[in-house]
Amino acid sequence: MYPLSIEKLIECFKMLPSVGQKTAERYAMAVVEMPKENIAEFIHALNAVDKEIKKCSICGNLCEKEHCAICDDPTRDRQTICVVQQPKDLIAIEKTKSYNGLYHVLYGAISPMKGVLPEDLNMDTLFNRIDENTKEVIIATNPTMEGDTTALYLNKMLKKYPNLTVTRLANGLPMGGNLDYADEITLMRAFTGRVKQ
């Protein structure tokens, strides 16, 4: 029906979350109707993401250098580490402006049903970076079955650090929800009401 190049573009847009056939077709046709300079800018942005984006060697956050801006920021509270599932969760928390510590990105959650085990996540680097200066680890995994499983596992593993306080985000986050969909006020309340595990 469409020329092959447009069909391929539609298939690419369908790789995005929540994009079905109709939406992918609309996106593809919007690109076709864009001025050439906008298409070039779009291509440039995709290439830059492909070539420049990497994971911070300390926390796993997305960055363009060896370390992310948060890990390099000397004004951050280095005694606290907030563990999140994805970089978008980190961004959601940063928008609240209610947390000034460091982060650690797991890139997923434990899910035996999906074949995701602790060793498949960015956990070893978390355990390696905890030292005598670390006072608190905040577990900010999503309030889902997988997020709760991950939180329980982390809580168990972190018990071997006797002087470490382990907390979990509390009220305000609905069960089955995702951090990146929560509004800033809800996230701020969840942060201030976190509880010791």
Side-chain angles (χ1 to χ4, degrees):
M1 185 162 157
Y2 290 107
L4 183 59
S5 56
I6 294 177
E7 287 286 354
K8 285 184 178 177
L9 186 57
I10 290 168
E11 290 305 309
C12 288
F13 279 124
K14 282 170 59 178
M15 293 179 197
L16 297 171
S18 304
V19 176
Q21 181 68 29
K22 292 280 188 202
T23 303
E25 286 177 19
R26 276 199 314 276
Y27 288 171
M29 293 313 295
V31 169
V32 168
E33 294 167 9
M34 277 182 187
K36 295 265 188 236
E37 58 271 11
N38 290 16
I39 294 174
E41 193 175 333
F42 199 70
I43 291 167
H44 177 72
L46 286 172
N47 280 329
V49 166
D50 181 45
K51 290 182 172 69
E52 303 297 326
I53 297 299
K54 55 187 89 159
K55 293 178 183 176
C56 173
S57 62
I58 298 171
C59 72
N61 188 18
L62 298 176
C63 59
E64 293 177 338
K65 299 177 183 174
E66 180 70 18
H67 302 146
C68 71
I70 293 171
C71 286
D72 276 346
D73 184 348
T75 67
R76 302 295 292 216
D77 172 11
R78 303 202 166 273
Q79 297 182 328
T80 310
I81 301 172
C82 179
V83 181
V84 296
Q85 287 180 213
Q86 299 293 344
K88 61 186 178 178
D89 302 328
L90 180 157
I91 298 298
I93 293 168
E94 280 295 288
K95 285 180 182 176
T96 70
K97 295 181 175 37
S98 62
Y99 175 70
N100 192 43
L102 301 176
Y103 290 93
H104 195 85
V105 184
L106 296 176
Y107 284 93
I110 297 170
S111 177
M113 298 287 284
K114 295 177 184 171
V116 181
L117 301 174
E119 55 267 23
D120 299 319
L121 303 175
N122 185 28
M123 285 192 183
D124 287 341
T125 51
L126 170 64
F127 304 135
N128 291 336
R129 65 188 284 215
I130 295 171
D131 59 24
E132 66 278 354
N133 296 319
T134 311
K135 301 292 183 234
E136 181 183 10
V137 171
I138 303 165
I139 301 173
T141 53
N142 290 327
T144 60
M145 182 93 70
E146 292 87 359
D148 285 345
T149 302
T150 306
L152 286 169
Y153 178 83
L154 284 170
N155 190 38
K156 179 182 173 192
M157 295 301 289
L158 293 170
K159 286 201 185 304
K160 65 183 173 187
Y161 303 94
N163 298 322
L164 185 68
T165 299
V166 180
T167 59
R168 174 114 160 94
L169 292 190
N171 61 35
L173 294 174
M175 190 63 185
N178 290 320
L179 286 177
D180 60 318
Y181 291 129
D183 65 283
E184 292 166 22
I185 301 297
T186 302
L187 265 175
M188 189 173 63
R189 286 181 182 156
F191 244 89
T192 54
R194 64 184 186 267
V195 293
K196 188 173 179 179
Q197 294 283 292

